[in-house]
């Protein structure tokens, strides 16, 4: 796995074979709906079952990115945007929020008695690549890519 965490994207991803963009309320309910829709769309586009390893990874990654957008990247009354890309060999999740000045914290191991702060460790563990992109003064996008199943030879 190649992890590009907390860095600007240096090269564009190949053109998606399918793409979907939706806005969700900057609430816990919006984050939950984003995760559910992402897994549903992933299984529909790929034909992989809900209980496949890639679907589980997509669910965890989306839950964390959407939760972070609500918790750390939201301004009152502002939505967050979810964009899904089915690429030839992977699935990309992008969550865009309204706080470009707030960078994700460094990914460091946490004490076992801490009750929060482990989410990006999950993204690090389940995504093959992830990072952030700030293209304008008003938004930032945190993205993650999960490889699709490959056949073993």
């Amino acid at each position: 796995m190649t992890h590009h965490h907390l860095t600007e994207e240096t090269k564009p991803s190949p053109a998606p074979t399918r793409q979907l963009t939706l806005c969700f309320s900057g609430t816990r309910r919006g984050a939950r709906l984003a995760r559910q829709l992402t897994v549903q769309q992933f299984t529909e586009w790929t034909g992989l079952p809900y209980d496949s390893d890639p679907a589980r990874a997509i669910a965890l990654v989306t839950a964390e990115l959407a939760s972070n957008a609500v918790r750390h990247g939201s301004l009152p009354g502002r939505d967050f945007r979810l964009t899904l890309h089915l690429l030839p060999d992977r699935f990309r999740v992008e969550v865009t929020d309204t706080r470009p000045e707030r960078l994700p914290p460094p990914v460091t191991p946490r004490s076992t008695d801490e009750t929060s702060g482990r989410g990006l460790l999950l993204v690090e563990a389940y995504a093959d690549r992830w990072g952030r992109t700030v293209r304008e003064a008003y938004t930032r996008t945190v993205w993650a890519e999960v490889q699709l199943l490959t056949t073993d030879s």
Side-chain angles (χ1 to χ4, degrees), residues 130-145:
W130 73 280
R132 64 146 172 92
T133 305
V134 177
R135 291 193 178 109
E136 59 182 74
Y138 304 105
T139 63
R140 71 160 173 193
T141 300
V142 181
W143 54 269
E145 295 178 350

Side-chain angles (χ1 to χ4, degrees), residues 13-144:
S13 292
T17 58
R18 295 191 180 175
Q19 179 177 322
L20 176 67
T21 300
L22 295 168
C23 289
F24 292 89
S25 66
T27 63
R28 289 173 45 188
R29 181 173 186 265
R32 185 174 58 252
L33 289 171
R35 178 188 52 81
Q36 291 170 340
L37 177 114
T38 298
V39 174
Q40 179 180 339
Q41 197 63 59
F42 174 81
T43 59
E44 186 176 311
W45 282 349
T46 64
L48 294 171
Y50 283 95
D51 62 350
S52 67
D53 288 341
R56 288 180 184 151
I58 290 295
L60 285 167
V61 165
T62 304
E64 183 53 35
L65 297 183
S67 174
N68 278 353
V70 168
R71 182 180 236 182
H72 304 292
S74 178
L75 293 170
R78 303 294 290 272
D79 296 340
F80 69 91
R81 183 174 64 228
L82 172 73
T83 302
L84 307 175
H85 302 273
L86 178 62
L87 302 166
D89 61 343
R90 61 192 178 278
F91 192 82
R92 181 178 173 109
V93 177
E94 297 177 355
V95 176
T96 302
D97 63 44
T98 56
R99 299 297 296 268
E101 76 282 1
R102 289 185 145 185
L103 299 179
V107 178
T108 57
R110 301 289 181 157
S111 168
T112 56
D113 57 349
E114 291 184 53
T115 59
S116 67
R118 292 186 188 89
L120 289 177
L121 288 172
L122 287 173
V123 173
E124 179 84 19
Y126 285 93
D128 294 286
R129 271 180 15 120
W130 73 280
R132 64 146 172 92
T133 305
V134 177
R135 291 193 178 109
E136 59 182 74
Y138 304 105
T139 63
R140 71 160 173 193
T141 300
V142 181
W143 54 269

